Amino acid sequence: VLFVIGLGLRLYNLDGFPPHVDEYAHTEQALSMLAGKPGDYDRSFATVTVPIYLSFLAFGVSVWAGRFPLVLMNMLAIFPVYFLGRRVHKSIGLICAALYASSPWMIASSRTMREYAIVPLFSYISALLLLELLNWEGLTIPAYFRKNKYRLLASALIFGYLIFDHKSTLKSILLLYGILFILAILKAARS
């Protein structure tokens, strides 16, 4: 229900304001790809430009079509934010999801063809994955790797992308990996 409400708030009048200057870099690249030219990798190509290109293919070229995939990816962040809050208590998870769905800042940042729309998704997924990786009590090393193989793979893929796209604002998520490393060392030292 909160996902649908948040999506509705973000989609309402989505093309009612002109593109911001920063949005043109992604739309021009997507339009170039539509014309059959190869895409030149630039900041956020895989995470912003490619979804815009695919949306243009599916819905035609318009401001609404360019912004739609970013709104959708922004709203997908409601699920990891719920599960992060639920680690405290189920009602906290629901409050976190409700605040995320109705936050004016999240709504505004999701309604652009810019990387800011997807930062929450990558941040919350990374935080959730990394917190889960700290649960190793009672597990042998092989059992830990068996239990967490998909979490480790997803975390490694996100980490690899953050290193690869070094111009991306998503690289701020690397701080989460550093914090996990410090917490893992502190936890291992107490064991």
Side-chain angles (χ1 to χ4, degrees):
V1 170
L2 291 171
F3 178 84
V4 171
I5 291 169
L7 191 61
L9 289 170
R10 285 158 175 79
L11 290 176
Y12 175 74
N13 200 24
L14 185 59
D15 57 354
F17 55 96
H20 188 273
V21 172
D22 291 354
E23 293 179 274
Y24 286 112
H26 299 292
T27 56
E28 287 175 12
Q29 182 77 269
L31 291 171
S32 177
M33 292 165 58
L34 279 175
K37 298 176 184 168
D40 295 326
Y41 200 95
D42 197 11
R43 178 180 139 181
S44 318
F45 179 80
T47 55
V48 178
T49 305
V50 170
I52 292 169
Y53 165 73
L54 294 173
S55 186
F56 282 172
L57 282 176
F59 302 111
V61 176
S62 70
V63 172
W64 185 93
R67 290 177 176 159
F68 176 72
L70 298 159
V71 164
L72 188 59
M73 287 190 289
N74 180 270
M75 270 314 299
L76 288 175
I78 198 170
F79 298 107
V81 84
Y82 166 76
F83 287 111
L84 283 167
R86 188 176 173 175
R87 291 178 66 89
V88 176
H89 191 274
K90 184 178 180 178
S91 61
I92 299 296
L94 289 171
I95 291 168
C96 290
L99 290 172
Y100 183 83
S102 62
S103 165
W105 173 253
M106 287 296 149
I107 293 168
S109 67
S110 74
R111 295 167 48 90
T112 63
M113 293 176 271
R114 300 167 73 192
E115 200 173 28
Y116 306 114
I118 60 166
V119 168
L121 179 64
F122 278 82
S123 297
Y124 300 145
I125 286 176
S126 295
L128 187 61
L129 289 169
L130 296 173
L131 281 174
E132 290 296 324
L133 290 174
L134 284 174
N135 293 328
W136 63 60
E137 288 82 8
L139 295 174
T140 63
I141 292 175
Y144 175 82
F145 281 100
R146 275 194 307 276
K147 177 187 174 197
N148 292 300
K149 61 185 169 190
Y150 297 115
R151 288 182 190 102
L152 288 164
L153 177 63
S155 297
L157 288 172
I158 292 171
F159 183 81
Y161 176 77
L162 298 175
I163 299 299
F164 174 74
D165 195 351
H166 62 279
K167 293 181 183 178
S168 170
T169 57
L170 290 175
K171 69 182 172 208
S172 63
I173 298 169
L174 288 172
L175 182 62
L176 290 174
Y177 285 83
I179 292 169
L180 170 80
F181 182 71
I182 292 168
L183 290 174
I185 289 172
L186 292 173
K187 186 173 180 176
R190 281 198 275 163
S191 299

PDB file of all heavy atoms in Angstrom, residues 69-102:
ATOM      1  N   PRO A  69      11.534   5.498 -15.102  1.00  0.00           N
ATOM      2  CA  PRO A  69      12.330   4.416 -14.503  1.00  0.00           C
ATOM      3  C   PRO A  69      13.055   4.844 -13.228  1.00  0.00           C
ATOM      4  O   PRO A  69      13.251   4.029 -12.319  1.00  0.00           O
ATOM      5  CB  PRO A  69      13.321   4.026 -15.603  1.00  0.00           C
ATOM      6  CG  PRO A  69      13.393   5.196 -16.505  1.00  0.00           C
ATOM      7  CD  PRO A  69      12.044   5.858 -16.424  1.00  0.00           C
ATOM      8  N   LEU A  70      13.408   6.107 -13.140  1.00  0.00           N
ATOM      9  CA  LEU A  70      14.094   6.585 -11.942  1.00  0.00           C
ATOM     10  C   LEU A  70      13.140   6.703 -10.769  1.00  0.00           C
ATOM     11  O   LEU A  70      13.492   6.408  -9.627  1.00  0.00           O
ATOM     12  CB  LEU A  70      14.813   7.887 -12.244  1.00  0.00           C
ATOM     13  CG  LEU A  70      15.889   7.671 -13.318  1.00  0.00           C
ATOM     14  CD1 LEU A  70      16.268   8.949 -13.992  1.00  0.00           C
ATOM     15  CD2 LEU A  70      17.074   6.961 -12.742  1.00  0.00           C
ATOM     16  N   VAL A  71      11.900   7.098 -11.052  1.00  0.00           N
ATOM     17  CA  VAL A  71      10.869   7.113 -10.018  1.00  0.00           C
ATOM     18  C   VAL A  71      10.635   5.692  -9.513  1.00  0.00           C
ATOM     19  O   VAL A  71      10.560   5.441  -8.305  1.00  0.00           O
ATOM     20  CB  VAL A  71       9.551   7.722 -10.565  1.00  0.00           C
ATOM     21  CG1 VAL A  71       8.374   7.393  -9.671  1.00  0.00           C
ATOM     22  CG2 VAL A  71       9.681   9.222 -10.734  1.00  0.00           C
ATOM     23  N   LEU A  72      10.555   4.753 -10.433  1.00  0.00           N
ATOM     24  CA  LEU A  72      10.322   3.365 -10.059  1.00  0.00           C
ATOM     25  C   LEU A  72      11.487   2.816  -9.217  1.00  0.00           C
ATOM     26  O   LEU A  72      11.264   2.191  -8.171  1.00  0.00           O
ATOM     27  CB  LEU A  72      10.126   2.515 -11.312  1.00  0.00           C
ATOM     28  CG  LEU A  72       9.684   1.076 -11.099  1.00  0.00           C
ATOM     29  CD1 LEU A  72       8.368   1.009 -10.352  1.00  0.00           C
ATOM     30  CD2 LEU A  72       9.571   0.376 -12.447  1.00  0.00           C
ATOM     31  N   MET A  73      12.722   3.069  -9.639  1.00  0.00           N
ATOM     32  CA  MET A  73      13.874   2.604  -8.869  1.00  0.00           C
ATOM     33  C   MET A  73      13.921   3.286  -7.500  1.00  0.00           C
ATOM     34  O   MET A  73      14.283   2.666  -6.504  1.00  0.00           O
ATOM     35  CB  MET A  73      15.177   2.834  -9.640  1.00  0.00           C
ATOM     36  CG  MET A  73      15.349   1.872 -10.794  1.00  0.00           C
ATOM     37  SD  MET A  73      16.988   1.921 -11.531  1.00  0.00           S
ATOM     38  CE  MET A  73      16.993   3.483 -12.360  1.00  0.00           C
ATOM     39  N   ASN A  74      13.541   4.554  -7.463  1.00  0.00           N
ATOM     40  CA  ASN A  74      13.506   5.253  -6.182  1.00  0.00           C
ATOM     41  C   ASN A  74      12.498   4.609  -5.247  1.00  0.00           C
ATOM     42  O   ASN A  74      12.769   4.415  -4.069  1.00  0.00           O
ATOM     43  CB  ASN A  74      13.179   6.734  -6.407  1.00  0.00           C
ATOM     44  CG  ASN A  74      13.132   7.509  -5.124  1.00  0.00           C
ATOM     45  OD1 ASN A  74      12.079   7.620  -4.505  1.00  0.00           O
ATOM     46  ND2 ASN A  74      14.274   8.044  -4.726  1.00  0.00           N
ATOM     47  N   MET A  75      11.338   4.248  -5.764  1.00  0.00           N
ATOM     48  CA  MET A  75      10.315   3.642  -4.918  1.00  0.00           C
ATOM     49  C   MET A  75      10.672   2.226  -4.504  1.00  0.00           C
ATOM     50  O   MET A  75      10.222   1.755  -3.459  1.00  0.00           O
ATOM     51  CB  MET A  75       8.950   3.657  -5.612  1.00  0.00           C
ATOM     52  CG  MET A  75       8.142   4.889  -5.330  1.00  0.00           C
ATOM     53  SD  MET A  75       8.080   5.398  -3.577  1.00  0.00           S
ATOM     54  CE  MET A  75       7.308   4.003  -2.795  1.00  0.00           C
ATOM     55  N   LEU A  76      11.475   1.532  -5.271  1.00  0.00           N
ATOM     56  CA  LEU A  76      11.910   0.188  -4.867  1.00  0.00           C
ATOM     57  C   LEU A  76      12.723   0.235  -3.575  1.00  0.00           C
ATOM     58  O   LEU A  76      12.804  -0.752  -2.851  1.00  0.00           O
ATOM     59  CB  LEU A  76      12.709  -0.479  -5.983  1.00  0.00           C
ATOM     60  CG  LEU A  76      11.903  -0.923  -7.203  1.00  0.00           C
ATOM     61  CD1 LEU A  76      12.831  -1.454  -8.279  1.00  0.00           C
ATOM     62  CD2 LEU A  76      10.847  -1.958  -6.829  1.00  0.00           C
ATOM     63  N   ALA A  77      13.283   1.384  -3.263  1.00  0.00           N
ATOM     64  CA  ALA A  77      14.058   1.540  -2.028  1.00  0.00           C
ATOM     65  C   ALA A  77      13.188   1.429  -0.786  1.00  0.00           C
ATOM     66  O   ALA A  77      13.709   1.246   0.320  1.00  0.00           O
ATOM     67  CB  ALA A  77      14.797   2.883  -2.032  1.00  0.00           C
ATOM     68  N   ILE A  78      11.876   1.485  -0.940  1.00  0.00           N
ATOM     69  CA  ILE A  78      10.996   1.377   0.221  1.00  0.00           C
ATOM     70  C   ILE A  78      11.116  -0.007   0.869  1.00  0.00           C
ATOM     71  O   ILE A  78      10.950  -0.151   2.075  1.00  0.00           O
ATOM     72  CB  ILE A  78       9.530   1.697  -0.155  1.00  0.00           C
ATOM     73  CG1 ILE A  78       8.716   2.011   1.096  1.00  0.00           C
ATOM     74  CG2 ILE A  78       8.889   0.559  -0.936  1.00  0.00           C
ATOM     75  CD1 ILE A  78       7.333   2.572   0.803  1.00  0.00           C
ATOM     76  N   PHE A  79      11.442  -1.023   0.086  1.00  0.00           N
ATOM     77  CA  PHE A  79      11.527  -2.377   0.632  1.00  0.00           C
ATOM     78  C   PHE A  79      12.763  -2.563   1.523  1.00  0.00           C
ATOM     79  O   PHE A  79      12.619  -3.013   2.665  1.00  0.00           O
ATOM     80  CB  PHE A  79      11.446  -3.418  -0.489  1.00  0.00           C
ATOM     81  CG  PHE A  79      10.133  -3.345  -1.223  1.00  0.00           C
ATOM     82  CD1 PHE A  79      10.065  -2.819  -2.496  1.00  0.00           C
ATOM     83  CD2 PHE A  79       8.958  -3.762  -0.612  1.00  0.00           C
ATOM     84  CE1 PHE A  79       8.853  -2.731  -3.172  1.00  0.00           C
ATOM     85  CE2 PHE A  79       7.737  -3.669  -1.272  1.00  0.00           C
ATOM     86  CZ  PHE A  79       7.683  -3.155  -2.556  1.00  0.00           C
ATOM     87  N   PRO A  80      13.963  -2.209   1.057  1.00  0.00           N
ATOM     88  CA  PRO A  80      15.088  -2.346   1.992  1.00  0.00           C
ATOM     89  C   PRO A  80      14.992  -1.396   3.189  1.00  0.00           C
ATOM     90  O   PRO A  80      15.424  -1.748   4.284  1.00  0.00           O
ATOM     91  CB  PRO A  80      16.327  -2.061   1.139  1.00  0.00           C
ATOM     92  CG  PRO A  80      15.852  -1.416  -0.097  1.00  0.00           C
ATOM     93  CD  PRO A  80      14.432  -1.847  -0.278  1.00  0.00           C
ATOM     94  N   VAL A  81      14.392  -0.212   3.006  1.00  0.00           N
ATOM     95  CA  VAL A  81      14.261   0.694   4.162  1.00  0.00           C
ATOM     96  C   VAL A  81      13.292   0.090   5.182  1.00  0.00           C
ATOM     97  O   VAL A  81      13.502   0.204   6.396  1.00  0.00           O
ATOM     98  CB  VAL A  81      13.867   2.129   3.735  1.00  0.00           C
ATOM     99  CG1 VAL A  81      12.385   2.312   3.542  1.00  0.00           C
ATOM    100  CG2 VAL A  81      14.355   3.138   4.744  1.00  0.00           C
ATOM    101  N   TYR A  82      12.268  -0.582   4.706  1.00  0.00           N
ATOM    102  CA  TYR A  82      11.347  -1.275   5.618  1.00  0.00           C
ATOM    103  C   TYR A  82      12.091  -2.371   6.387  1.00  0.00           C
ATOM    104  O   TYR A  82      11.969  -2.476   7.614  1.00  0.00           O
ATOM    105  CB  TYR A  82      10.164  -1.882   4.850  1.00  0.00           C
ATOM    106  CG  TYR A  82       9.393  -2.873   5.677  1.00  0.00           C
ATOM    107  CD1 TYR A  82       8.520  -2.447   6.681  1.00  0.00           C
ATOM    108  CD2 TYR A  82       9.539  -4.245   5.484  1.00  0.00           C
ATOM    109  CE1 TYR A  82       7.828  -3.358   7.463  1.00  0.00           C
ATOM    110  CE2 TYR A  82       8.852  -5.162   6.259  1.00  0.00           C
ATOM    111  CZ  TYR A  82       7.997  -4.714   7.244  1.00  0.00           C
ATOM    112  OH  TYR A  82       7.327  -5.619   8.027  1.00  0.00           O
ATOM    113  N   PHE A  83      12.866  -3.183   5.679  1.00  0.00           N
ATOM    114  CA  PHE A  83      13.568  -4.288   6.343  1.00  0.00           C
ATOM    115  C   PHE A  83      14.669  -3.791   7.276  1.00  0.00           C
ATOM    116  O   PHE A  83      14.952  -4.433   8.293  1.00  0.00           O
ATOM    117  CB  PHE A  83      14.105  -5.289   5.326  1.00  0.00           C
ATOM    118  CG  PHE A  83      13.013  -6.127   4.716  1.00  0.00           C
ATOM    119  CD1 PHE A  83      12.664  -5.980   3.391  1.00  0.00           C
ATOM    120  CD2 PHE A  83      12.316  -7.043   5.490  1.00  0.00           C
ATOM    121  CE1 PHE A  83      11.646  -6.735   2.830  1.00  0.00           C
ATOM    122  CE2 PHE A  83      11.293  -7.804   4.952  1.00  0.00           C
ATOM    123  CZ  PHE A  83      10.951  -7.652   3.622  1.00  0.00           C
ATOM    124  N   LEU A  84      15.270  -2.661   6.962  1.00  0.00           N
ATOM    125  CA  LEU A  84      16.237  -2.071   7.895  1.00  0.00           C
ATOM    126  C   LEU A  84      15.537  -1.637   9.185  1.00  0.00           C
ATOM    127  O   LEU A  84      16.005  -1.907  10.283  1.00  0.00           O
ATOM    128  CB  LEU A  84      16.953  -0.884   7.253  1.00  0.00           C
ATOM    129  CG  LEU A  84      18.051  -1.221   6.260  1.00  0.00           C
ATOM    130  CD1 LEU A  84      18.458   0.016   5.470  1.00  0.00           C
ATOM    131  CD2 LEU A  84      19.251  -1.822   6.974  1.00  0.00           C
ATOM    132  N   GLY A  85      14.410  -0.950   9.042  1.00  0.00           N
ATOM    133  CA  GLY A  85      13.646  -0.527  10.217  1.00  0.00           C
ATOM    134  C   GLY A  85      13.072  -1.705  10.980  1.00  0.00           C
ATOM    135  O   GLY A  85      13.005  -1.703  12.209  1.00  0.00           O
ATOM    136  N   ARG A  86      12.693  -2.743  10.269  1.00  0.00           N
ATOM    137  CA  ARG A  86      12.121  -3.927  10.899  1.00  0.00           C
ATOM    138  C   ARG A  86      13.145  -4.657  11.774  1.00  0.00           C
ATOM    139  O   ARG A  86      12.767  -5.404  12.673  1.00  0.00           O
ATOM    140  CB  ARG A  86      11.577  -4.857   9.827  1.00  0.00           C
ATOM    141  CG  ARG A  86      10.808  -6.004  10.393  1.00  0.00           C
ATOM    142  CD  ARG A  86      10.206  -6.845   9.330  1.00  0.00           C
ATOM    143  NE  ARG A  86       9.630  -8.020   9.984  1.00  0.00           N
ATOM    144  CZ  ARG A  86       8.953  -8.923   9.374  1.00  0.00           C
ATOM    145  NH1 ARG A  86       8.753  -8.816   8.069  1.00  0.00           N
ATOM    146  NH2 ARG A  86       8.483  -9.957  10.017  1.00  0.00           N
ATOM    147  N   ARG A  87      14.407  -4.438  11.512  1.00  0.00           N
ATOM    148  CA  ARG A  87      15.437  -5.035  12.364  1.00  0.00           C
ATOM    149  C   ARG A  87      15.284  -4.546  13.801  1.00  0.00           C
ATOM    150  O   ARG A  87      15.664  -5.221  14.734  1.00  0.00           O
ATOM    151  CB  ARG A  87      16.832  -4.713  11.831  1.00  0.00           C
ATOM    152  CG  ARG A  87      17.152  -5.422  10.522  1.00  0.00           C
ATOM    153  CD  ARG A  87      18.510  -5.042  10.003  1.00  0.00           C
ATOM    154  NE  ARG A  87      19.587  -5.485  10.853  1.00  0.00           N
ATOM    155  CZ  ARG A  87      20.190  -6.667  10.761  1.00  0.00           C
ATOM    156  NH1 ARG A  87      19.812  -7.517   9.830  1.00  0.00           N
ATOM    157  NH2 ARG A  87      21.173  -6.969  11.570  1.00  0.00           N
ATOM    158  N   VAL A  88      14.725  -3.355  13.963  1.00  0.00           N
ATOM    159  CA  VAL A  88      14.455  -2.815  15.302  1.00  0.00           C
ATOM    160  C   VAL A  88      13.111  -3.358  15.785  1.00  0.00           C
ATOM    161  O   VAL A  88      13.005  -3.934  16.861  1.00  0.00           O
ATOM    162  CB  VAL A  88      14.458  -1.270  15.294  1.00  0.00           C
ATOM    163  CG1 VAL A  88      14.089  -0.722  16.655  1.00  0.00           C
ATOM    164  CG2 VAL A  88      15.779  -0.733  14.801  1.00  0.00           C
ATOM    165  N   HIS A  89      12.067  -3.163  14.967  1.00  0.00           N
ATOM    166  CA  HIS A  89      10.714  -3.625  15.302  1.00  0.00           C
ATOM    167  C   HIS A  89       9.859  -3.470  14.052  1.00  0.00           C
ATOM    168  O   HIS A  89      10.079  -2.556  13.247  1.00  0.00           O
ATOM    169  CB  HIS A  89      10.139  -2.798  16.464  1.00  0.00           C
ATOM    170  CG  HIS A  89       8.879  -3.370  17.027  1.00  0.00           C
ATOM    171  ND1 HIS A  89       7.655  -3.089  16.513  1.00  0.00           N
ATOM    172  CD2 HIS A  89       8.686  -4.214  18.076  1.00  0.00           C
ATOM    173  CE1 HIS A  89       6.735  -3.724  17.204  1.00  0.00           C
ATOM    174  NE2 HIS A  89       7.335  -4.418  18.172  1.00  0.00           N
ATOM    175  N   LYS A  90       8.862  -4.331  13.910  1.00  0.00           N
ATOM    176  CA  LYS A  90       8.010  -4.278  12.719  1.00  0.00           C
ATOM    177  C   LYS A  90       7.351  -2.905  12.545  1.00  0.00           C
ATOM    178  O   LYS A  90       7.280  -2.377  11.440  1.00  0.00           O
ATOM    179  CB  LYS A  90       6.943  -5.367  12.784  1.00  0.00           C
ATOM    180  CG  LYS A  90       6.092  -5.433  11.542  1.00  0.00           C
ATOM    181  CD  LYS A  90       5.073  -6.544  11.611  1.00  0.00           C
ATOM    182  CE  LYS A  90       4.261  -6.543  10.321  1.00  0.00           C
ATOM    183  NZ  LYS A  90       3.276  -7.610  10.292  1.00  0.00           N
ATOM    184  N   SER A  91       6.886  -2.315  13.651  1.00  0.00           N
ATOM    185  CA  SER A  91       6.236  -1.001  13.544  1.00  0.00           C
ATOM    186  C   SER A  91       7.240   0.074  13.120  1.00  0.00           C
ATOM    187  O   SER A  91       6.884   1.008  12.395  1.00  0.00           O
ATOM    188  CB  SER A  91       5.558  -0.612  14.859  1.00  0.00           C
ATOM    189  OG  SER A  91       6.507  -0.536  15.899  1.00  0.00           O
ATOM    190  N   ILE A  92       8.498  -0.058  13.534  1.00  0.00           N
ATOM    191  CA  ILE A  92       9.528   0.894  13.099  1.00  0.00           C
ATOM    192  C   ILE A  92       9.744   0.755  11.593  1.00  0.00           C
ATOM    193  O   ILE A  92       9.896   1.762  10.891  1.00  0.00           O
ATOM    194  CB  ILE A  92      10.858   0.665  13.860  1.00  0.00           C
ATOM    195  CG1 ILE A  92      10.666   0.855  15.361  1.00  0.00           C
ATOM    196  CG2 ILE A  92      11.958   1.558  13.324  1.00  0.00           C
ATOM    197  CD1 ILE A  92      10.288   2.239  15.787  1.00  0.00           C
ATOM    198  N   GLY A  93       9.736  -0.476  11.080  1.00  0.00           N
ATOM    199  CA  GLY A  93       9.857  -0.692   9.640  1.00  0.00           C
ATOM    200  C   GLY A  93       8.737  -0.010   8.871  1.00  0.00           C
ATOM    201  O   GLY A  93       8.967   0.622   7.845  1.00  0.00           O
ATOM    202  N   LEU A  94       7.519  -0.111   9.382  1.00  0.00           N
ATOM    203  CA  LEU A  94       6.378   0.526   8.723  1.00  0.00           C
ATOM    204  C   LEU A  94       6.478   2.050   8.781  1.00  0.00           C
ATOM    205  O   LEU A  94       6.164   2.740   7.801  1.00  0.00           O
ATOM    206  CB  LEU A  94       5.066   0.052   9.353  1.00  0.00           C
ATOM    207  CG  LEU A  94       4.692  -1.395   9.045  1.00  0.00           C
ATOM    208  CD1 LEU A  94       3.500  -1.827   9.889  1.00  0.00           C
ATOM    209  CD2 LEU A  94       4.398  -1.573   7.564  1.00  0.00           C
ATOM    210  N   ILE A  95       6.924   2.569   9.910  1.00  0.00           N
ATOM    211  CA  ILE A  95       7.097   4.021  10.038  1.00  0.00           C
ATOM    212  C   ILE A  95       8.164   4.505   9.053  1.00  0.00           C
ATOM    213  O   ILE A  95       7.974   5.519   8.372  1.00  0.00           O
ATOM    214  CB  ILE A  95       7.449   4.412  11.494  1.00  0.00           C
ATOM    215  CG1 ILE A  95       6.244   4.193  12.410  1.00  0.00           C
ATOM    216  CG2 ILE A  95       7.933   5.848  11.576  1.00  0.00           C
ATOM    217  CD1 ILE A  95       6.556   4.267  13.891  1.00  0.00           C
ATOM    218  N   CYS A  96       9.275   3.772   8.971  1.00  0.00           N
ATOM    219  CA  CYS A  96      10.344   4.135   8.025  1.00  0.00           C
ATOM    220  C   CYS A  96       9.814   4.135   6.594  1.00  0.00           C
ATOM    221  O   CYS A  96      10.088   5.060   5.815  1.00  0.00           O
ATOM    222  CB  CYS A  96      11.522   3.167   8.137  1.00  0.00           C
ATOM    223  SG  CYS A  96      12.463   3.306   9.663  1.00  0.00           S
ATOM    224  N   ALA A  97       9.049   3.112   6.240  1.00  0.00           N
ATOM    225  CA  ALA A  97       8.494   3.021   4.884  1.00  0.00           C
ATOM    226  C   ALA A  97       7.508   4.159   4.612  1.00  0.00           C
ATOM    227  O   ALA A  97       7.520   4.748   3.523  1.00  0.00           O
ATOM    228  CB  ALA A  97       7.823   1.666   4.684  1.00  0.00           C
ATOM    229  N   ALA A  98       6.676   4.481   5.603  1.00  0.00           N
ATOM    230  CA  ALA A  98       5.711   5.572   5.431  1.00  0.00           C
ATOM    231  C   ALA A  98       6.424   6.908   5.279  1.00  0.00           C
ATOM    232  O   ALA A  98       6.051   7.731   4.418  1.00  0.00           O
ATOM    233  CB  ALA A  98       4.749   5.624   6.622  1.00  0.00           C
ATOM    234  N   LEU A  99       7.438   7.135   6.092  1.00  0.00           N
ATOM    235  CA  LEU A  99       8.200   8.382   5.977  1.00  0.00           C
ATOM    236  C   LEU A  99       8.914   8.464   4.636  1.00  0.00           C
ATOM    237  O   LEU A  99       8.963   9.529   4.009  1.00  0.00           O
ATOM    238  CB  LEU A  99       9.201   8.502   7.128  1.00  0.00           C
ATOM    239  CG  LEU A  99       8.600   8.760   8.507  1.00  0.00           C
ATOM    240  CD1 LEU A  99       9.668   8.663   9.588  1.00  0.00           C
ATOM    241  CD2 LEU A  99       7.910  10.111   8.538  1.00  0.00           C
ATOM    242  N   TYR A 100       9.463   7.344   4.188  1.00  0.00           N
ATOM    243  CA  TYR A 100      10.148   7.335   2.888  1.00  0.00           C
ATOM    244  C   TYR A 100       9.153   7.628   1.756  1.00  0.00           C
ATOM    245  O   TYR A 100       9.436   8.433   0.869  1.00  0.00           O
ATOM    246  CB  TYR A 100      10.834   5.989   2.644  1.00  0.00           C
ATOM    247  CG  TYR A 100      11.596   5.985   1.350  1.00  0.00           C
ATOM    248  CD1 TYR A 100      12.875   6.512   1.289  1.00  0.00           C
ATOM    249  CD2 TYR A 100      11.021   5.514   0.176  1.00  0.00           C
ATOM    250  CE1 TYR A 100      13.568   6.568   0.091  1.00  0.00           C
ATOM    251  CE2 TYR A 100      11.704   5.554  -1.016  1.00  0.00           C
ATOM    252  CZ  TYR A 100      12.976   6.075  -1.057  1.00  0.00           C
ATOM    253  OH  TYR A 100      13.641   6.140  -2.246  1.00  0.00           O
ATOM    254  N   ALA A 101       8.007   6.976   1.794  1.00  0.00           N
ATOM    255  CA  ALA A 101       7.015   7.146   0.722  1.00  0.00           C
ATOM    256  C   ALA A 101       6.516   8.575   0.625  1.00  0.00           C
ATOM    257  O   ALA A 101       6.222   9.066  -0.470  1.00  0.00           O
ATOM    258  CB  ALA A 101       5.833   6.204   0.948  1.00  0.00           C
ATOM    259  N   SER A 102       6.426   9.274   1.775  1.00  0.00           N
ATOM    260  CA  SER A 102       5.828  10.614   1.782  1.00  0.00           C
ATOM    261  C   SER A 102       6.828  11.753   1.946  1.00  0.00           C
ATOM    262  O   SER A 102       6.420  12.914   1.993  1.00  0.00           O
ATOM    263  CB  SER A 102       4.794  10.686   2.909  1.00  0.00           C
ATOM    264  OG  SER A 102       5.421  10.479   4.161  1.00  0.00           O
TER     265      SER A 102
END
